């Protein structure tokens, strides 16, 4: 489709159903879930395991053909943990798999198809026994991971850092760095004294933010008619 023909009231109803679905079916799967999560296509959010925590004002964008997956595997020692902070953005295809511990700070942005894993899952010589060679992953506050970034075990990515698309992170990245490549290397530094706008600013006045989003939907979709919407579903044309 070239444009959305959905009437405003249909989209608003869809949001209400989504919120109910998240509260009824998604929230119980987290050990803790912060206030007002926004989850697009929540049926495509796959959660497995215990000790999975998500902070407040999370925005998770799922897609029916590109699920978001959070997996914490149990072991004889202890269940693994995934802890995600406040104001985080998680895009389609993100996969977070923990055998020990993955901690993600506040205001982090994970672009599409990011993969974070704290384990090699099998040893080089012993490929029968799982959960080998496991080391915790820490992603500090306000980190931005570009599309298709892979973060390997034992890595810490420092505050405010950015990792370029397609990079493979095998070693620690210090704070206020831009890194890229396979393996990822520092290519630029960020000035920590320069003012930086973080995602939490969107929700400084959360009520106003959600009202503005609703008014934008009303402006963009308010003139869409029901009959034209049904026609666009059953018999789309080039104008759709």
């Amino acid at each position: 489709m070239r444009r959305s023909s959905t009437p405003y009231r249909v989209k608003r109803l869809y949001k209400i159903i989504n919120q109910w679905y998240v509260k009824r079916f998604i929230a119980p799967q987290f050990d803790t879930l912060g206030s007002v999560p926004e989850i697009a296509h929540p049926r495509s959010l796959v959660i497995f395991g215990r000790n999975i925590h998500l902070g407040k004002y999370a925005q998770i964008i799922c897609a029916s053909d590109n699920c978001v997956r959070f997996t914490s595997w149990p072991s004889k020692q202890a269940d693994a943990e995934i802890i995600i902070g406040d104001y985080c953005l998680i895009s389609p295809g993100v996969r977070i798999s923990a055998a020990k511990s993955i901690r993600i700070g506040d205001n982090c942005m994970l672009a599409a198809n990011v993969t974070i894993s704290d384990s090699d899952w099998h040893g080089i010589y012993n490929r029968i026994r799982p959960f080998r060679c496991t080391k915790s992953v820490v992603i500090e506050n306000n980190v931005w991971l570009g599309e298709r970034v892979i973060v390997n075990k034992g890595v810490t990515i420092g505050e405010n850092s950015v990792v370029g698309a397609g990079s493979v992170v095998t070693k620690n990245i210090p704070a206020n760095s831009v890194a890229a490549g396979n393996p990822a290397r520092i290519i630029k530094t960020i000035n920590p004294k320069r003012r930086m706008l973080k995602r939490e600013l969107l929700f400084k006045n959360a009520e106003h933010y959600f009202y503005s989003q609703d008014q934008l939907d009303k402006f963009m979709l308010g003139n869409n008619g029901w009959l034209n919407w049904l026609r666009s579903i059953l018999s789309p044309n080039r104008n759709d």
Side-chain angles (χ1 to χ4, degrees):
M1 294 293 182
R2 301 185 183 202
R3 60 181 294 274
S4 176
S5 297
T6 306
Y8 164 72
R9 292 185 181 277
V10 171
K11 185 168 184 179
R12 188 173 183 182
L13 177 61
Y14 179 75
K15 284 186 175 181
I16 293 171
I17 293 172
N18 258 11
Q19 291 169 356
W20 172 84
Y21 184 92
V22 169
K23 185 176 180 179
R24 176 66 180 83
F25 295 104
I26 299 298
Q29 299 183 63
F30 287 96
D31 285 70
T32 58
L33 178 62
S35 57
V36 201
E38 290 187 277
I39 304 177
H41 303 284
R43 294 161 190 80
S44 296
L45 174 58
V46 180
I47 303 167
F48 176 83
R50 299 179 180 275
N51 300 325
I52 300 177
H53 306 264
L54 182 64
K56 63 184 179 182
Y57 297 114
Q59 292 183 309
I60 302 177
I61 306 169
C62 306
S64 58
D65 61 343
N66 206 9
C67 295
V68 171
R69 297 178 182 272
F70 300 150
T71 306
S72 67
W73 291 99
S75 67
K76 292 182 179 179
Q77 290 74 30
D79 290 345
E81 66 175 10
I82 297 173
I83 300 175
I84 303 172
D86 301 334
Y87 313 110
C88 288
L89 172 66
I90 297 173
S91 304
V94 167
R95 186 175 68 186
I96 302 174
S97 303
K100 185 176 182 180
S101 175
I102 296 175
R103 292 175 174 256
I104 299 173
D106 299 337
N107 295 296
C108 289
M109 300 192 300
L110 279 58
N113 301 309
V114 164
T115 298
I116 304 171
S117 174
D118 66 358
S119 178
D120 290 339
W121 303 105
H122 294 87
I124 293 175
Y125 297 100
N126 183 353
R127 303 188 185 186
I128 299 174
R129 183 181 173 189
F131 309 116
R132 307 291 287 177
C133 307
T134 298
K135 294 182 181 179
S136 300
V137 172
V138 177
I139 297 175
E140 296 182 353
N141 294 337
N142 202 40
V143 167
W144 176 12
L145 303 181
E147 188 168 353
R148 302 186 316 281
V149 164
I150 298 174
V151 179
N152 289 328
K153 67 173 187 179
V155 164
T156 294
I157 301 178
E159 186 171 5
N160 300 326
S161 289
V162 179
V163 182
S167 300
V168 179
V169 185
T170 60
K171 295 181 180 179
N172 293 348
I173 295 175
N176 303 303
S177 302
V178 178
N182 181 7
R185 294 182 175 87
I186 297 171
I187 59 174
K188 185 179 179 179
T189 57
I190 295 172
N191 182 0
K193 296 181 180 180
R194 183 171 174 176
R195 185 188 179 205
M196 186 174 294
L197 302 182
K198 302 177 182 180
R199 286 185 51 79
E200 62 189 42
L201 184 62
L202 289 172
F203 305 98
K204 187 174 183 180
N205 185 343
E207 185 175 344
H208 176 71
Y209 168 78
F210 291 118
Y211 174 78
S212 297
Q213 293 297 105
D214 182 68
Q215 291 302 299
L216 179 61
D217 283 341
K218 184 178 289 187
F219 174 77
M220 297 296 293
L221 307 175
N223 293 325
N224 289 348
W226 290 80
L227 291 178
N228 186 58
W229 171 58
L230 292 173
R231 181 207 52 76
S232 71
I233 295 173
L234 299 173
S235 180
N237 59 39
R238 290 186 178 182
N239 293 324
D240 296 322

